[in-house]
Amino acid sequence: MSNSRPLEIYMLPFLSPGHMIPLSEIGQLFSSAAQNVTILTTPHNAASLTKISNSPNFRIQTFSFPAKQVGLPDGLENFLSATDIPTATKLYTAVTLLQADLESFMLSSPPDVIISDMFFPWTADFALKIGVPRIVFHATFIFAQTLKNAVREPDSPHHSVESDYEPFVIPNLPHKITMTRAQLPDYVRTPNGYTQLMEQWREAELKSYGIVVNNFSEFESEYTAFYKDIMGGKIKIFHVGPTSLTQSSSNDKANRVHKTVIAETECLSWLNKKAPNSVIYVCFGSACKFPDTQLMEIACALESCGYDFIWAVLGKDDEKDEDMIKWIPSDFNQNVIKTKRGLIIKGWAPQVLILDHPSVGGFLSHCGGNSVIESVSCGVPIATWPLYAEHFYLEKMLTQVYGIGVEVGVEDWNLWVDCGKKIIRREKIEKALRKLMDGEDEMVKEMRRKIKELGELAKKAVQVGGSSHKNLMVLIEELKQIRDQKS
């Protein structure tokens, strides 16, 4: 390093687990490289971040959350608790009200760099005002950013198809990517207030020094080069992940930020009794709470397919066992749970610990960015069930670019609060699971070979001398040069 004095880095994670966890772990990477990192967040969220790092140069600065000003109860500070649009709207309003306090703090004690989530676009102009670089974090892949950019163009073919379910090819990409209009976000199909926010985030990105990505560069090298090109060649992109691979012990893997509802020993004990590649892991992220009718279809498919499974079901953690009869078949408990063929976790599951176990051979997933990179890092192929956000884009990466996923056949993008609005039947689910887990099928063997190879590349990337480690060191060096030239 040209200067041994550490950087003063302020990080602003969005108040949602899928954003907070990876950005805070990126903060841990910086602090492990002897840089000073301060996470700016609220008291309730700070409590869940204390396990990220015990490094003396990693600290958390809290700001009072304006819950009462927007009509929220005390302690409701995270989008994990938002189960409807009005609550989410109040939360987002409260987040915008934090700007004044955050700016005041950063003006009184200026950092050398601001690394902020895309949901804080104002940090781009603020960083320019105080003369420091701003790095943006998107909580997804550059591949998804590329597709988002492609469909925002006025000549995107989704404007000219005759129906929502007519396939079209997104033009001018490195691969042939086929989608339907129904799989695109609502704000792409019909411009709304969120469309305007997307444009604000894009403009803020163009004013920023670069993008930091929780991924490894080898996984999306073509799209990184492509995205830089379409963004005018000005933006720098630093792949520094996967951050999940920084968790080395089983205890760390089991308790990343959120305390899991199952003991690490119980989970490992169950998995250790299973054959290699024999278990399906089922989880749909931190925001999806399916209705009982959809849970019943999943349960019937899991029972019928015959494979061992671990199923994480959110929104049921305070439910009594006898209430499960509403969303499982009558003989499910007797035939599946008591025989130890299946394990249901009602609440937060130790996902990385599960995926990294050799008995796990498939993942039924919503294709959220964190779930995808964690599965790839562990070498586990995915049955894709996209729901909202950028999930359908990432499904296409898994199935159409890399061939490491099997589509369940979900047709419609929905808001997270409408998950399960259109029920996916058990026959579709079972068919995808059988296709994913058929160890004798040549296509499945090739899929497993590819994803195991990618998993090895991910592990090498985060090691000293690997691509992600090098990118982190380069970014630190460049930021120090900017600081020193300024002084």
Side-chain angles (χ1 to χ4, degrees), residues 165-456:
Y165 301 100
E166 179 186 341
F168 65 88
V169 176
I170 302 177
N172 306 318
L173 296 178
H175 295 87
K176 181 182 177 181
I177 306 295
T178 303
M179 295 190 72
T180 64
R181 190 162 57 203
Q183 294 175 332
L184 295 174
D186 61 351
Y187 58 83
V188 174
R189 285 173 273 156
T190 306
N192 56 27
Y194 200 82
T195 315
Q196 295 173 352
L197 283 175
M198 291 290 290
E199 289 303 309
Q200 286 181 30
W201 298 333
R202 190 173 187 274
E203 290 170 10
E205 179 183 305
L206 288 169
K207 296 175 184 176
S208 302
Y209 181 75
I211 303 171
V212 66
V213 188
N214 180 26
N215 195 353
F216 58 107
S217 57
E218 292 88 343
F219 192 36
E220 51 180 357
S221 55
E222 285 181 275
Y223 287 87
T224 301
F226 188 83
Y227 188 71
K228 284 180 180 178
D229 200 36
I230 61 176
M231 296 299 280
K234 297 177 182 177
I235 200 80
K236 290 173 175 280
I237 299 173
F238 302 90
H239 289 78
V240 298
T243 61
S244 59
L245 293 176
T246 62
Q247 312 299 332
S248 53
S249 73
S250 58
N251 182 63
D252 290 340
K253 292 174 187 175
N255 294 296
R256 293 171 67 213
V257 181
H258 282 272
K259 182 72 176 174
T260 58
V261 297
I262 186 172
E264 165 201 341
T265 51
E266 181 185 351
C267 192
L268 287 176
S269 176
W270 190 92
L271 286 165
N272 288 341
K273 295 181 176 73
K274 306 300 178 181
N277 295 327
S278 66
V279 175
I280 301 167
Y281 173 54
V282 182
C283 184
F284 296 93
S286 59
C288 170
K289 294 178 176 65
F290 279 136
D292 290 343
T293 48
Q294 183 62 82
L295 295 177
M296 175 65 82
E297 294 299 310
I298 297 170
C300 289
L302 290 170
E303 181 179 34
S304 180
C305 73
Y307 299 110
D308 294 340
F309 66 86
I310 295 181
W311 182 12
V313 186
L314 284 182
K316 300 291 184 180
D317 41 315
D318 57 352
E319 180 188 69
K320 295 178 181 178
D321 286 346
E322 53 264 32
D323 293 329
M324 287 172 62
I325 196 68
K326 293 181 295 184
W327 52 275
I328 61 171
S330 57
D331 56 355
F332 190 87
N333 203 40
Q334 186 68 34
N335 296 343
V336 179
I337 303 301
K338 289 187 177 179
T339 61
K340 306 294 185 181
R341 213 199 90 203
L343 176 63
I344 292 180
I345 301 172
K346 292 190 285 186
W348 199 268
Q351 182 158 293
V352 173
L353 182 74
I354 294 168
L355 288 171
D356 203 33
H357 197 280
S359 69
V360 177
F363 183 13
L364 178 58
S365 170
H366 68 309
C367 302
N370 294 320
S371 289
V372 168
I373 195 57
E374 287 162 14
S375 200
V376 169
S377 301
C378 296
V380 178
I382 299 175
T384 61
W385 186 324
L387 297 170
Y388 50 90
E390 78 285 357
H391 301 169
F392 278 95
Y393 299 142
L394 296 185
E395 177 189 57
K396 306 311 173 189
M397 185 182 198
L398 294 169
T399 59
Q400 297 183 14
V401 175
Y402 275 107
I404 53 175
V406 173
E407 292 190 13
V408 171
V410 183
E411 296 182 317
D412 298 277
W413 187 97
N414 281 301
L415 289 169
W416 87 102
V417 293
D418 292 325
C419 293
K421 191 175 182 180
K422 190 171 182 179
I423 301 299
I424 308 301
R425 297 299 172 190
R426 64 194 71 175
E427 295 82 8
K428 257 187 175 182
I429 304 166
E430 182 182 348
K431 183 180 178 181
L433 293 179
R434 289 188 181 280
K435 192 173 180 181
L436 182 74
M437 300 296 286
D438 185 358
E440 299 305 313
D441 185 86
E442 290 302 319
M443 186 203 79
V444 175
K445 288 179 181 178
E446 178 62 11
M447 182 168 60
R448 292 192 184 284
R449 185 197 65 78
K450 286 179 181 177
I451 201 162
K452 292 293 183 187
E453 190 176 274
L454 286 167
E456 290 305 312

